[in-house]
Amino acid sequence: MSGASCKANGAVYPASSVMMNSVKKPKMEQIQADHELFLQAFEKPTQIYRFLRTRNLIAPIFLHRTLTFMSHRNTRTNAKRKTFKVDDMLQRVEKMKGDQESQSLSSHLQLTFTGFFHKDEKPSQNSENEQNSVSLEVLLVKVCHKKRKDVSCPIKQVPTGKKQVPLNPDSNQTKPGSYPSLLVSSNEFEPSNSHMVKSYSLLFRVSRTGRRDTNGLVNGEANENIDVTETPSRKKRSSSHREDGETTETYVAQMTVFDKNRRLQLLDGEYEVSMQGMEDNPVSKKRATWETILDGKRLPPFETFSQGPTLQFTLRWTGDASDKSTAPVAKPLATRNSDSSSPMETRTSTLRAAPVAVKDSVSTDVQMRREQVLCEPRQKLRIFYQFLYNNNTRQQTEARDDLHCPWCTLNCRKLYSLLKHLKLSHSRFIFNYVPHPKGARIDVSINECYDGSYVGNPQDIHSQPGFAFSRNGPVKRTAVTHILVCRPKRTKPSLSEFLESEDGELEQQRTYVSGHNRLYFHSDSCMPLRPQEMDIDSEDERDPEWLREKTATQLEEFTDVNEGEKEVMKLWNLHVMKHGFIADNQMNQASMLFVENCGAYIARRNLCRNFLLHLVSMHDFNLVSVATIDRAMVRLRQIQEELPAAEEEQQDQTLTMGGACNGTAVTSSGGKQGKRTKSGVTD
Amino acid sequence: MEGASTPVPLHSQKKTMTAYELRRRVKSEYMRLRQLKRFRRADEVKSMFNTNRQKIMERTDILNQEWKTRRIQPIISVLTLPVVCVQCTVDSGFSEFSKQVIPLKTLNAVASVPVMYSWSPLQQNFMVEDETVLHNIPYMGDEILDQDGTFIEELIKNYDGKVHGDRECGFINDEIFVELVSALTQYSDNEDDDEEEEQDFKVDKMELCDGKEHPEDPRKDPLISRTNNDSTKKFPSDKIFEAISSMFPDKGSTEELKEKYKELTEQQLPGALPPECTPNIDGPNARSVQREQSLHSFHTLFCRRCFKYDCFLHPFHATPNTYKRKNMENLVDSKPCGIDCYMYLVQVSSHVTQPSFSFIQFHFLNFHSFVLVFIMFAEGNSRCQTPVKMKLTCDPEAVDWSGAEASLFRVLIGTYYDNYCAIARLIGTKTCRQVYEFRVKESSIIARAPAEDEDTPPRKKKRKHRLWATHCRKIQLKKDGSSNHVYNYQPCDHPRQPCDSSCPCVTAQNFCEKFCQCSSECQNRFPGCRCKAQCNTKQCPCYLAVRECDPDLCLTCGAAEHWDSKNVSCKNCSIQRGAKKHLLLAPSDVAGWGIFIKEPVQKNEFISEYCGEIISQDEADRRGKVYDKYMCSFLFNLNNDFVVDATRKGNKIRFANHSVNPNCYAKVMMVNGDHRIGIFAKRAIQTGEELFFDYRSVTRERLHNTRFILFIHIKHIMHDTGRLQSHILIG
C-alpha cells in the first residue's frame, strides 16, 4: 500500500511511512510481520481502487466535476445558458473569423526570465569584473513540413529578442518587477506563413563571456524526437562552444511550444530549463535515456537542476481579457480529467513546476502526469493518513502535502471534497476525519460492513462486475434511476460530518448505495428475473390460474347442483375473483359488468333463466336492487338479439370465452361423479 | 370333453375349481386393473408435464420476442472467453475403443440459489379442513431419521396411524370396483360358452332376482347392457361378488357389494340426477318446482361475505331466508305496460263485479294511473266495448305454462309480488295478463309483500348519533378491558332475539357485522367511522379498533370510493383492496431467500398481506411438529381459532426474514368480518431494501391497544452467535 501510494503520486513525500508505535530498534522480523498485516488489510481494496482508477481514466463513467462537492473542478459557468440562443452560435463563429487577426495580435507569449543559474561559479567568489548577467537570445524555431525536394524538414528560426539575464541572482534581493521579459506574439504561431509549420519550439541560447569551463556537463540528450506525444517534451541541450580568442560559452536549450499535432505543450507556469553546452556531442537519439551523467557518474534525474546550468523563467500566455483561451488554436487535449482548463490566472501563481522526468511513469496515464506537471495552488495543508488495522490495534501513518486522493490520485483541491470523495468512492474503507494542527488526520480502516457481494449487472448472474458499463454497445440495465434531476436540500458542507460519530455505528453499517443491486428471481420458478420482467408483478393477478381451476372443479364436484346452475356460478365466481369486489354497494355495478362481460356467453349457452335466478338470489341477500335485475335482464336480451346467427360461430366464440371461464372443459362432463352435496356444505 | 362322460362329480369339482379360480382371477384382474390405472396415471402425468412445458416455452418465446425487438446487444457476446484450446482426452484400456479428444470448454460458475419448496401463489386466505391422514412421511435427511426415529412414529400417531396412500391389499375404491366386476363378468361369460347348463341356471336365478328387486324399474336392463358390453340383460353373477368379498373382506358381504354395484351403475344413466337436485331451469327437463327449490343451490352455496359461490374462505354460508328487505323498493309499476296490460283486466273485472268504484281496492295503483285507466275504461264503455276488451274480461283461456316458466314465476313473485308487468318482462315468454291469470290460479302460494319491520321502529336521527357516540365509548372500553383472546367472527343468527349476552358475537367479544342476521340497529354493531381524513390515526374509531374501514359503513372517508384506482383517501382499507407493494425475491443477505421491496415506502404504509391456508389450531399443532423439525415454519397465529399457514399456499411476503431490528411489523386486523394479517412498514424503507419483521411479537403498543394479538411464528432466527435456533413464542 505504501509503495503503491508513493508510486501514484510521485510528488512530494516519497514513502514516508512512519511507525507510530515507535520501537526504538524494531527487529526486522517484527517490521516484516507488521507489514504483512498491513498488506493483508489494505492491499486488496487498494488494488481494486487502483484498477478502477485506471478504468475511469480510460472510460469514465461519470465526471468528477459534475459532483456537487467537486463543483470547483468545473470551470465553466452555466450563466450564459440562460440567455443562450441558437443564433448566437453562428454569430460567434462569424465574429471569431473576423476578429481572429486582431485578436491574435493582442495575445502574446510572455517570458519573464528570473535568472541563469550555474552552480559551478559562485558569483560572489568570482572576480569583481565578472559579469552579473548573461545574454540570452530567444529564437522561435519553426519546423516546417517537408517539401518533396527537401532532404530534411526545413527549419526556420525567427529571432524574437535578446535580453540580459541576471546570473545566479539571489531571489530574495531582486524585485520581481525588474526581471527582463520578452514577448512573442501569438501571431507567430499562426499557420498562415508560407510553409506549413509542423511544430514550434523555443530555442534559448545563453552566451557568457569569461573563463571557459572545461568541466562541462554532459547531459544525455533526452528525447530529441519532437514527435513524441509525451507531455512537455523538451530538449535539453547544453553546449559550450568556443569562439576564437574569446572564451564565450554558449548554452542551449530548446522547448517545444506546439508539437506537430498542434497541441500546446507549454502551459503557464514557472519553468526551469537545464541548459547544455554547445560543443558537446549529443548522444545518439536512439539510445536516449533519462539518465544524467556527471563526471561519468550517474546522477539522479533531479540532480541536474541542482547542478545547473539552468535557466529560470516564467511563462505566461496573455491575451484578451474577454477571451481567456489565449492559446491561439490548439488547446491541450489532456484536460479531461484535470483542471488544466481552469483560468490562467490561477496558474500564474503556481509553484515551480519541476520538469519532472519520472522514470517509472507509464505513458498511458497521460492525464496523471499532466496533472502533476500542472501547478496547483499550494496549500500549507498536510494530511496524515493513519491506517488502522489488525482490529485497530496497529496503525501506520503516511503524510501527504496535497489534496490528491491516494487511491485514484484525483486532485480534490479542498479538504472537504477530498473527504467526501474518499467516503463515497472508496467505501471499502472507513474514513474518519480528525483535525490536526498541521492540517488534517484521516483515519483509514477497513469497512467490515462493505457489501461487495455483487456490483455487476444485476440482471445477469454470469457477467463479470463491470459489465454494466460495457463499452461494446448499449446494454439494457434495469431502470433503477427514475429521477434524472434531483435537487435535494443539501446541508452546508462541513468537515464535521466526517468526524467519527459516537452513535453512528448503525448508520455506518448501512451501505450508501441503495437500489436494486442484486439479481432477483421469479417466485414461482426460481428463474432469474430479466430486466424486461422487472415491472411485472406476479402477484398483480388476484386470481391465479390454479385458483380459477380450483373454483371450477370445486363447484363441479357437487352432485345435487345442476349444470346450468354450476355454469352460472362458475362464471360469476371467476368474474368476482377477477375484479375483487369487496363491498355490498359494489354489487349492482358488478352485476351489470357481469352482463357486459359474460352476457354473450350466457345467451349462447342458454343460461338466461339461471342467470335470472342468480340475480334474484342476490336480491334475496339484499345485495342488488330490483332495478338492477331489470336493467341486467334488459341488457342480456339486447345482447342476445345482437348475437350473430349463433350456431356457426359457436366454436370460435367459445374459444374466446375460454379465457373468461376456465372451467368449461370440466363442465362438459356432465355425468361425472361428484363427491359433495350442497346440503353437506351448509350443515 | 371330460365333463360329458362323468357329469355329476365333475360338475361339483368344477364348481369348486371355478370358485377357486374366480378368486384367483379376481386377484389377477384386480392387479391388472391397478396396473392399468397406474399406467394411465403415468401417461396423464406425462402429458401434463408436456403441456406444462409447452406453456413455459410459449411464455419464454413471448418474452424473447419482446427482447429481440428492443435491438439490444446480446449479453453472450461480451462473455466470450478467450478460447483456451485445452484438449481433453479419454483413454480406454481396451484397444478397440479409440481415444476420444475434445476441446475443453469451461462453463461459467453459477451461484446456486437457496432451497425452495414449491408453493402455490395466493392473494387471499384459503381455508382448508383438518387433515385426518398424514400426507407424506417427511424426509429431512438421513441423520435426523437415524438420530430420532421416534419422531416419525409420534407423527403418525398424531394421525391415528393413517398415512396417505397406505393401502393394504384391501384398497379398492368405487371406480375400480365397478371395473373389476365388469371385467370379471366378461371373463365368466367367456367361460360360459363351455358350461351351458350352468349358465342357464345362472340366468334363471338372475332373472328371478332381478324381477324381485326391481319390478317397477324397466330401465334397469338397458343400463346393465351398457355396462356389460357383450352379455345382454345380465346382472353379474353372485359368484363374482362372492369372490370379491372374500378377497376384500373389509368391503362388506356379497349382498352389500351387490347393492353397492347396483347403486354405482345406476348413476351412470344419462341425465339422471339425484332426487334432491333440481333440474336445470334452462334445460329440456325443467320441472315446475317451488321457489325455495329453484333457488336452493344459489341460496345455499352463495357466500354473502365473499360474494362467491362455494367460497374458499367461509365454510358456513347463511341462507337469506331471514334476511329482511331493507329498502322497500317501488314494487309496482305505476303505469300499464301496454295495451294488453293486466291492469285493464283487473279494472274491468273489478268493475264488472263491483259496479261502484272503490279506490281502496286498487290500492296498488296510484291516483294518476287510476284516473287514466278509468278514463280509458269509460271511453271503451261509452263506445261499446271493443272485441279485445271483451276478450280481456272474459277468457282466462288455457295457456300452456312450461315447468321452467312456472318455476320462474314462483321465483319472481317472491321478489316482485304484484308487479306482473315486470314478472312478465322477465319471464319473457308470457304476457302480464297471462301472468296475472296464472297468479290467480296459484293464489294459494302467493307471498304477501312484507310490511315494514314491526320489531324495530325507525329511529330518529338524533338517537342514531347518540348511538354512535356510545359505540365509540364502548370501543374505548373494550380497549381497556385487556381480554387476551380474539375469536373468529361468525355471523350471528338468532331471529327475534336481540344481540344480548347469548349472542355468539357478544360472547366472542366481536362486533356484529353487516353479515349478521340481526337488525342494522343492533347495539353490538360497529358503527364505522365518520372520518374525512385518512383514517390512519387513533382519531378514527376503525383504526383504533384495529379494523379496516368497512366500505358499507364508513361512507365519508373514501373507503367506498374509487374502486379502480389505488388513490384512495382512506389509508385504512389497503388489505381489502389488495393495495400491496411490488415485492421482489432474491437470496437474502441474512439467510435463505429474502424479499425485497421494489419501490420506497413510507412509515406505516401497507406492504402486503400475509396470506396462506387457514387451519385450525389443532391442525397447526400437528403441522407445526413437522415444521419445527424442518426448522422452517410459515405458521402465523390469526386468532384463537385459526392459524395462517403459508407453507403450501401463500404470497411472496412469506419470504420475509426475522430480525430483532426489523423494518416491518405485522398487525392482525378485522377486515370486513375476517381477521387478516397485514404487514406494514415500521420506518421509511428505501428501494431495494430487504424486508424483515419481528416474528416474536407484534409491537408492544399494538398489544395494549388492540384486544389482543396472539402471534406464533417459527422460522430460522439468526442469532448474534450465528447459531440457528427455532423459536416458538406466544403472546
Side-chain angles (χ1 to χ4, degrees):
Chain A
M1 157 71 220
S2 62
S5 78
C6 291
K7 203 202 268 177
N9 195 332
V12 204
Y13 276 86
S16 62
S17 48
V18 183
M19 300 286 292
M20 286 299 274
N21 43 355
S22 57
V23 191
K24 282 275 157 77
K25 285 232 166 185
K27 284 173 195 166
M28 206 57 191
E29 294 155 24
Q30 237 175 345
I31 298 174
Q32 217 152 24
D34 191 60
H35 192 67
E36 272 304 307
L37 281 172
F38 178 76
L39 284 181
Q40 231 172 47
F42 289 99
E43 192 181 23
K44 262 252 163 72
T46 301
Q47 276 173 355
I48 289 166
Y49 287 129
R50 216 25 59 100
F51 166 77
L52 290 176
R53 176 202 63 163
T54 314
R55 199 184 70 177
N56 199 41
L57 289 177
I58 297 162
I61 293 158
F62 64 94
L63 300 173
H64 285 285
R65 64 164 185 255
T66 55
L67 303 173
T68 1
F69 58 90
M70 289 282 189
S71 57
H72 50 269
R73 288 180 64 100
N74 195 359
T75 54
R76 280 174 305 184
T77 57
N78 298 330
K80 278 184 187 168
R81 281 191 193 169
K82 278 182 189 162
T83 54
F84 174 80
K85 281 177 193 162
V86 182
D87 295 346
D88 293 351
M89 289 174 78
L90 177 67
Q91 272 176 16
R92 204 166 61 205
V93 171
E94 279 172 344
K95 199 179 154 198
M96 238 165 68
K97 270 189 180 163
D99 291 357
Q100 205 158 35
E101 273 182 20
S102 59
Q103 189 194 14
S104 308
L105 276 175
S106 62
S107 63
H108 299 281
L109 172 65
Q110 187 184 30
L111 297 167
T112 310
F113 300 97
T114 323
F116 180 71
F117 296 86
H118 200 201
K119 285 281 149 59
D120 277 357
E121 349 211 334
K122 289 148 195 158
S124 53
Q125 285 169 356
N126 281 334
S127 53
E128 58 281 354
N129 63 343
E130 188 67 41
Q131 284 171 296
N132 272 345
S133 62
V134 290
S135 81
L136 167 77
E137 193 185 4
V138 181
L139 296 157
L140 183 63
V141 181
K142 299 180 180 178
V143 181
C144 301
H145 273 290
K146 239 198 291 203
K147 283 186 178 163
R148 213 173 298 154
K149 54 195 173 187
D150 295 336
V151 182
S152 61
C153 297
I155 296 175
K156 278 207 290 187
Q157 292 198 348
V158 183
T160 51
K162 272 192 179 180
K163 287 280 163 182
Q164 287 298 115
V165 177
L167 176 69
N168 291 346
D170 191 350
S171 54
N172 298 329
Q173 286 170 11
T174 331
K175 289 172 198 162
S178 61
Y179 291 130
S181 74
L182 221 147
L183 284 181
V184 182
S185 165
S186 60
N187 226 10
E188 293 287 350
F189 302 109
E190 286 303 311
S192 55
N193 298 326
S194 57
H195 276 279
M196 280 300 287
V197 181
K198 252 203 316 201
S199 64
Y200 299 87
S201 50
L202 285 173
L203 182 69
F204 301 102
R205 191 182 291 157
V206 175
S207 34
R208 208 186 128 209
T209 50
R211 286 177 302 120
R212 194 190 148 218
D213 181 25
T214 45
N215 221 9
L217 290 163
V218 184
N219 278 359
E221 190 202 25
N223 225 344
E224 178 76 90
N225 190 358
I226 343 172
D227 306 341
V228 256
T229 51
E230 272 196 10
T231 29
S233 72
R234 60 186 59 93
K235 301 199 164 194
K236 300 176 192 129
R237 181 195 296 153
S238 111
S239 66
S240 62
H241 81 112
R242 189 180 319 212
E243 284 186 10
D244 302 320
E246 281 181 74
T247 53
T248 310
E249 286 172 72
T250 311
Y251 298 95
V252 188
Q254 194 173 357
M255 292 178 81
T256 309
V257 187
F258 289 101
D259 67 10
K260 71 166 184 180
N261 295 324
R262 293 199 60 78
R263 276 186 299 206
L264 181 64
Q265 299 289 12
L266 289 183
L267 294 167
D268 286 13
E270 278 182 44
Y271 290 83
E272 185 172 6
V273 188
S274 119
M275 313 286 281
Q276 281 179 305
M278 199 65 152
E279 61 184 9
D280 300 315
N281 282 331
V283 191
S284 159
K285 289 176 191 175
K286 305 277 175 191
R287 277 179 232 144
T289 63
W290 287 95
E291 285 152 24
T292 312
I293 296 156
L294 177 66
D295 297 335
K297 282 180 214 158
R298 271 192 183 185
L299 274 182
F302 296 107
E303 290 300 294
T304 327
F305 294 99
S306 56
Q307 292 294 323
T310 56
L311 177 70
Q312 262 186 31
F313 63 91
T314 312
L315 187 147
R316 198 177 159 202
W317 291 93
T318 55
D320 266 352
S322 62
D323 191 5
K324 277 177 182 169
S325 60
T326 28
V329 187
K331 276 240 161 193
L333 244 188
T335 52
R336 196 163 51 178
N337 203 30
S338 66
D339 55 354
S340 59
S341 58
S342 61
M344 299 295 173
E345 278 74 21
T346 61
R347 245 179 265 137
T348 47
S349 64
T350 51
L351 81 155
R352 184 158 90 190
V356 193
V358 201
K359 203 174 162 188
D360 57 358
S361 66
V362 199
S363 61
T364 50
D365 59 8
V366 178
Q367 296 92 339
M368 299 327 299
R369 288 225 283 137
R370 160 73 74 188
E371 203 168 332
Q372 285 158 14
V373 170
L374 286 177
C375 324
E376 54 248 356
R378 160 156 263 174
Q379 292 184 357
K380 291 283 175 280
L381 207 61
R382 179 171 284 199
I383 294 163
F384 299 93
Y385 290 93
Q386 183 160 303
F387 297 94
L388 303 169
Y389 56 99
N390 198 16
N391 271 340
N392 290 357
T393 55
R394 317 280 307 191
Q395 40 187 288
Q396 199 159 323
T397 312
E398 225 175 298
R400 296 170 71 92
D401 259 358
D402 56 14
L403 289 161
H404 290 231
C405 165
W407 284 273
C408 54
T409 61
L410 177 77
N411 185 5
C412 299
R413 297 179 54 183
K414 279 181 187 165
L415 182 59
Y416 177 81
S417 309
L418 173 68
L419 285 163
K420 195 90 178 171
H421 163 79
L422 289 174
K423 199 146 195 173
L424 293 179
S425 304
H426 304 296
S427 46
R428 286 168 192 272
F429 301 115
I430 295 171
F431 297 95
N432 282 315
Y433 164 67
V434 182
H436 190 274
K438 278 186 187 167
R441 198 184 89 204
I442 299 174
D443 290 345
V444 187
S445 53
I446 296 292
N447 182 4
E448 303 291 349
C449 305
Y450 178 76
D451 177 23
S453 50
Y454 190 75
V455 281
N457 185 342
Q459 302 314 330
D460 186 14
I461 203 168
H462 305 300
S463 81
Q464 302 307 308
F467 167 72
F469 306 113
S470 157
R471 294 280 143 183
N472 288 352
V475 169
K476 164 96 177 171
R477 280 194 96 200
T478 322
V480 290
T481 313
H482 294 292
I483 301 162
L484 289 176
V485 179
C486 175
R487 297 187 196 281
K489 267 200 179 155
R490 289 205 168 84
T491 49
K492 266 216 151 179
S494 144
L495 285 173
S496 61
E497 66 185 274
F498 306 112
L499 294 173
E500 190 170 17
S501 52
E502 297 303 314
D503 54 339
E505 278 312 303
L506 268 174
E507 198 57 37
Q508 278 201 334
Q509 281 178 7
R510 210 181 296 163
T511 48
Y512 280 89
V513 185
S514 73
H516 302 289
N517 50 359
R518 65 187 76 235
L519 180 69
Y520 295 110
F521 291 83
H522 284 286
S523 55
D524 50 353
S525 58
C526 289
M527 297 286 280
L529 193 73
R530 296 191 288 176
Q532 69 264 42
E533 296 163 322
M534 189 74 175
D535 292 328
I536 307 164
D537 190 354
S538 63
E539 301 202 324
D540 268 348
E541 57 172 12
R542 271 174 282 222
D543 48 343
E545 199 186 336
W546 74 270
L547 217 56
R548 281 178 297 188
E549 231 174 278
K550 175 86 181 159
T551 193
T553 43
Q554 209 169 292
L555 282 170
E556 201 53 58
E557 278 175 5
F558 285 107
T559 53
D560 51 357
V561 178
N562 66 50
E563 318 86 66
E565 290 167 341
K566 281 178 185 171
E567 197 89 332
V568 170
M569 287 177 183
K570 268 184 255 177
L571 279 178
W572 173 256
N573 274 8
L574 294 173
H575 177 67
V576 172
M577 280 161 70
K578 189 177 170 199
H579 293 94
F581 301 113
I582 47 171
D584 290 4
N585 56 33
Q586 276 181 297
M587 283 298 112
N588 287 322
Q589 203 188 331
S591 300
M592 291 313 291
L593 192 64
F594 184 50
V595 183
E596 287 303 324
N597 292 345
C598 302
Y601 183 79
I602 289 169
R604 210 174 298 114
R605 300 285 298 222
N606 189 24
L607 295 168
C608 296
R609 286 181 186 141
N610 276 301
F611 174 65
L612 181 57
L613 288 184
H614 158 76
L615 286 176
V616 169
S617 160
M618 295 271 287
H619 179 263
D620 289 347
F621 280 101
N622 258 326
L623 293 174
V624 297
S625 63
V626 174
T628 306
I629 302 181
D630 291 340
R631 271 193 298 145
M633 287 311 287
V634 167
R635 183 78 191 105
L636 184 63
R637 295 266 149 77
Q638 267 176 21
I639 291 170
Q640 205 168 12
E641 277 156 27
E642 283 164 15
L643 220 59
E647 293 315 304
E648 68 262 21
E649 282 181 59
Q650 177 119 15
Q651 280 172 332
D652 101 298
Q653 269 153 359
T654 35
L655 273 179
T656 55
M657 284 306 295
C661 34
N662 231 332
T664 40
V666 198
T667 321
S668 50
S669 57
K672 206 172 174 196
Q673 282 185 331
K675 285 158 201 146
R676 301 197 303 161
T677 57
K678 57 192 175 193
S679 43
V681 169
T682 38
D683 305 332
Chain B
M1 345 150 211
E2 313 170 57
S5 57
T6 47
V8 180
L10 260 180
H11 184 81
S12 63
Q13 190 196 0
K14 224 174 204 173
K15 247 201 145 170
T16 51
M17 277 292 280
T18 32
Y20 173 71
E21 265 172 24
L22 248 174
R23 255 197 86 164
R24 238 181 47 206
R25 253 171 231 154
V26 167
K27 194 166 183 179
S28 68
E29 279 298 309
Y30 173 68
M31 287 306 179
R32 189 181 63 83
L33 284 170
R34 283 279 305 278
Q35 194 157 20
L36 207 70
K37 228 178 147 189
R38 222 174 296 141
F39 284 146
R40 226 179 292 150
R41 185 156 168 73
D43 283 346
E44 261 169 42
V45 169
K46 254 184 238 166
S47 70
M48 282 293 263
F49 180 81
N50 282 330
T51 49
N52 211 13
R53 266 201 79 77
Q54 196 65 37
K55 248 182 228 167
I56 293 170
M57 302 272 264
E58 278 164 19
R59 227 173 75 181
T60 31
D61 266 358
I62 291 167
L63 284 169
N64 284 335
Q65 219 58 47
E66 195 187 337
W67 189 242
K68 269 175 207 154
T69 57
R70 296 199 185 191
R71 312 173 108 244
I72 286 166
Q73 178 198 15
I75 284 161
I76 291 77
S77 68
V78 184
L79 287 173
T80 45
L81 301 163
V83 182
V84 189
C85 274
V86 178
Q87 303 283 316
C88 290
T89 55
V90 177
D91 271 321
S92 81
F94 302 101
S95 53
E96 60 263 34
F97 294 110
S98 57
K99 204 159 96 176
Q100 296 189 17
V101 182
I102 203 155
L104 175 77
K105 277 180 200 161
T106 335
L107 297 177
N108 282 312
V110 178
S112 64
V113 294
V115 176
M116 186 195 289
Y117 298 103
S118 69
W119 53 283
S120 305
L122 200 70
Q123 299 312 317
Q124 268 204 329
N125 291 333
F126 191 109
M127 183 169 280
V128 292
E129 286 170 16
D130 287 9
E131 282 164 1
T132 49
V133 290
L134 182 62
H135 270 224
N136 65 315
I137 294 174
Y139 174 76
M140 27 200 117
D142 293 327
E143 36 327 318
I144 292 201
L145 287 184
D146 290 345
Q147 278 167 19
D148 199 2
T150 55
F151 170 68
I152 301 292
E153 284 169 30
E154 277 169 23
L155 189 69
I156 294 172
K157 215 180 283 170
N158 279 339
Y159 291 91
D160 298 329
K162 283 184 227 159
V163 179
H164 176 75
D166 193 12
R167 46 182 95 126
E168 302 87 51
C169 66
F171 179 77
I172 183 166
N173 64 16
D174 294 351
E175 200 184 333
I176 286 193
F177 174 64
V178 174
E179 277 175 31
L180 183 62
V181 173
S182 66
L184 287 171
T185 322
Q186 211 173 325
Y187 206 68
S188 63
D189 286 343
N190 292 341
E191 216 172 56
D192 287 344
D193 297 340
D194 299 339
E195 314 164 22
E196 275 147 281
E197 23 178 349
E198 203 177 327
Q199 206 230 344
D200 289 339
F201 164 72
K202 239 192 278 176
V203 170
D204 285 345
K205 193 180 165 192
M206 242 159 45
E207 270 165 3
L208 191 73
C209 126
D210 268 358
K212 233 187 266 169
E213 279 173 30
H214 308 281
E216 77 291 341
D217 197 353
R219 285 183 308 168
K220 184 87 185 102
D221 290 349
L223 155 74
I224 295 163
S225 72
R226 245 170 44 83
T227 39
N228 308 354
N229 295 330
D230 45 350
S231 71
T232 49
K233 303 193 174 196
K234 221 185 276 170
F235 192 76
S237 78
D238 285 350
K239 271 196 284 179
I240 292 169
F241 293 110
E242 260 166 48
I244 293 172
S245 105
S246 64
M247 266 305 286
F248 308 103
D250 57 323
K251 291 288 162 188
S253 67
T254 318
E255 281 308 308
E256 276 169 355
L257 285 176
K258 233 160 124 179
E259 282 303 311
K260 193 170 181 185
Y261 181 72
K262 265 177 222 149
E263 201 180 289
L264 288 171
T265 47
E266 221 172 308
Q267 275 178 14
Q268 290 179 356
L269 194 73
L273 289 167
E276 66 269 34
C277 180
T278 325
N280 187 359
I281 196 166
D282 281 312
N285 304 326
R287 270 188 287 135
S288 167
V289 292
Q290 292 307 310
R291 183 177 202 266
E292 287 68 36
Q293 211 176 332
S294 301
L295 286 170
H296 187 258
S297 302
F298 289 102
H299 279 171
T300 47
L301 290 183
F302 188 73
C303 175
R304 196 237 167 283
R305 297 163 72 180
C306 300
F307 311 118
K308 278 184 284 208
Y309 291 99
D310 192 31
C311 75
F312 297 130
L313 193 54
H314 306 110
F316 308 108
H317 309 302
T319 47
N321 306 345
T322 45
Y323 276 103
K324 283 164 198 144
R325 188 187 290 271
K326 274 179 198 151
N327 45 343
M328 292 300 292
E329 286 156 312
N330 188 15
L331 291 177
V332 179
D333 280 355
S334 49
K335 288 177 188 170
C337 58
I339 190 81
D340 286 339
C341 185
Y342 77 100
M343 289 187 193
Y344 303 121
L345 180 67
V346 174
Q347 192 69 54
V348 170
S349 57
S350 63
H351 178 64
V352 168
T353 48
Q354 283 185 315
S356 64
F357 286 95
S358 159
F359 285 86
I360 302 127
Q361 246 188 330
F362 311 118
H363 63 275
F364 52 87
L365 298 176
N366 68 19
F367 180 72
H368 180 78
S369 64
F370 169 75
V371 170
L372 185 86
V373 169
F374 172 67
I375 290 167
M376 288 179 77
F377 173 74
E379 249 178 4
N381 215 14
S382 65
R383 251 196 251 150
C384 106
Q385 287 164 347
T386 56
V388 184
K389 283 209 171 143
M390 283 307 292
K391 232 184 196 169
L392 262 176
T393 46
C394 58
D395 57 340
E397 87 227 52
V399 198
D400 200 23
W401 279 71
S402 70
E405 283 165 342
S407 299
L408 212 53
F409 167 77
R410 289 186 202 108
V411 166
L412 293 170
I413 199 83
T415 305
Y416 284 83
Y417 305 104
D418 292 339
N419 191 347
Y420 307 112
C421 300
I423 293 173
R425 246 194 337 267
L426 291 174
I427 293 175
T429 48
K430 293 282 179 286
T431 65
C432 61
R433 222 184 80 214
Q434 289 162 335
V435 171
Y436 175 72
E437 284 156 5
F438 191 73
R439 179 221 175 269
V440 173
K441 227 164 55 187
E442 292 235 326
S443 53
S444 57
I445 58 151
I446 298 303
R448 284 251 68 102
E452 284 273 325
D453 211 349
E454 304 97 14
D455 302 347
T456 44
R459 255 179 248 259
K460 275 150 212 137
K461 176 121 191 187
K462 199 178 164 192
R463 176 114 187 264
K464 198 154 190 173
H465 186 75
R466 220 178 59 219
L467 179 82
W468 191 67
T470 54
H471 270 308
C472 292
R473 242 176 286 130
K474 210 153 60 186
I475 297 161
Q476 301 277 344
L477 258 163
K478 277 196 178 162
K479 180 184 80 178
D480 297 335
S482 54
S483 65
N484 272 335
H485 303 279
V486 159
Y487 294 91
N488 202 46
Y489 162 76
Q490 189 69 53
C492 65
D493 183 10
H494 38 80
R496 309 205 175 281
Q497 261 210 315
C499 289
D500 49 23
S501 56
S502 64
C503 169
C505 293
V506 175
T507 49
Q509 287 196 305
N510 281 321
F511 292 109
C512 282
E513 301 286 339
K514 55 189 172 186
F515 314 115
C516 289
Q517 306 275 26
C518 56
S519 95
S520 57
E521 314 293 340
C522 165
Q523 290 288 330
N524 193 38
R525 287 233 173 167
F526 189 81
C529 71
R530 308 274 196 284
C531 299
K532 289 187 177 60
Q534 303 185 323
C535 298
N536 51 4
T537 63
K538 284 171 196 164
Q539 298 294 310
C540 173
C542 300
Y543 185 84
L544 189 66
V546 207
R547 294 164 56 96
E548 281 211 338
C549 286
D550 186 328
D552 293 314
L553 285 176
C554 313
L555 299 170
T556 56
C557 62
E561 289 159 38
H562 305 295
W563 295 114
D564 298 329
S565 81
K566 302 217 163 177
N567 241 336
V568 197
S569 58
C570 176
K571 299 292 172 221
N572 193 28
C573 58
S574 305
I575 298 180
Q576 51 186 307
R577 285 180 181 238
K580 62 191 174 345
K581 297 285 174 289
H582 191 162
L583 303 176
L584 295 161
L585 180 76
S588 166
D589 289 342
V590 181
W593 288 100
I595 201 77
F596 299 82
I597 198 147
K598 181 161 179 272
E599 274 138 18
V601 292
Q602 284 161 6
K603 191 179 173 182
N604 289 330
E605 228 180 306
F606 172 69
I607 289 174
S608 179
E609 184 189 349
Y610 192 97
C611 295
E613 285 180 323
I614 292 192
I615 55 175
S616 69
Q617 293 283 357
D618 292 347
E619 176 72 11
D621 286 348
R622 281 195 292 270
R623 290 190 184 187
K625 291 218 169 71
V626 183
Y627 299 154
D628 283 357
K629 267 283 184 243
Y630 274 116
M631 307 256 282
C632 178
S633 156
F634 298 99
L635 290 175
F636 200 133
N637 225 31
L638 189 66
N639 52 35
N640 257 20
D641 304 312
F642 294 106
V643 174
V644 172
D645 180 10
T647 312
R648 302 175 191 179
K649 306 183 181 78
N651 54 358
K652 285 195 231 171
I653 197 72
R654 72 200 278 277
F655 291 108
N657 280 301
H658 165 84
S659 166
V660 287
N661 184 22
N663 50 12
C664 299
Y665 62 89
K667 194 158 81 162
V668 178
M669 297 189 80
M670 177 62 95
V671 182
N672 296 338
D674 297 312
H675 281 122
R676 290 164 82 168
I677 304 159
I679 306 291
F680 297 85
K682 201 178 174 192
R683 57 166 170 82
I685 303 176
Q686 300 210 326
T687 301
E689 266 194 71
E690 181 170 358
L691 300 182
F692 297 97
F693 59 91
D694 196 333
Y695 288 174
R696 298 170 304 176
S697 66
V698 194
T699 55
R700 237 161 246 301
E701 190 206 6
R702 282 281 134 216
L703 268 175
H704 285 302
N705 249 344
T706 69
R707 315 184 171 175
F708 89 76
I709 286 157
L710 188 81
F711 194 86
I712 304 181
H713 203 113
I714 315 150
K715 208 188 156 184
H716 283 167
I717 298 175
M718 264 297 197
H719 274 271
D720 301 341
T721 53
R723 269 184 315 153
L724 276 175
Q725 285 187 345
S726 178
H727 273 233
I728 310 170
L729 289 126
I730 301 172

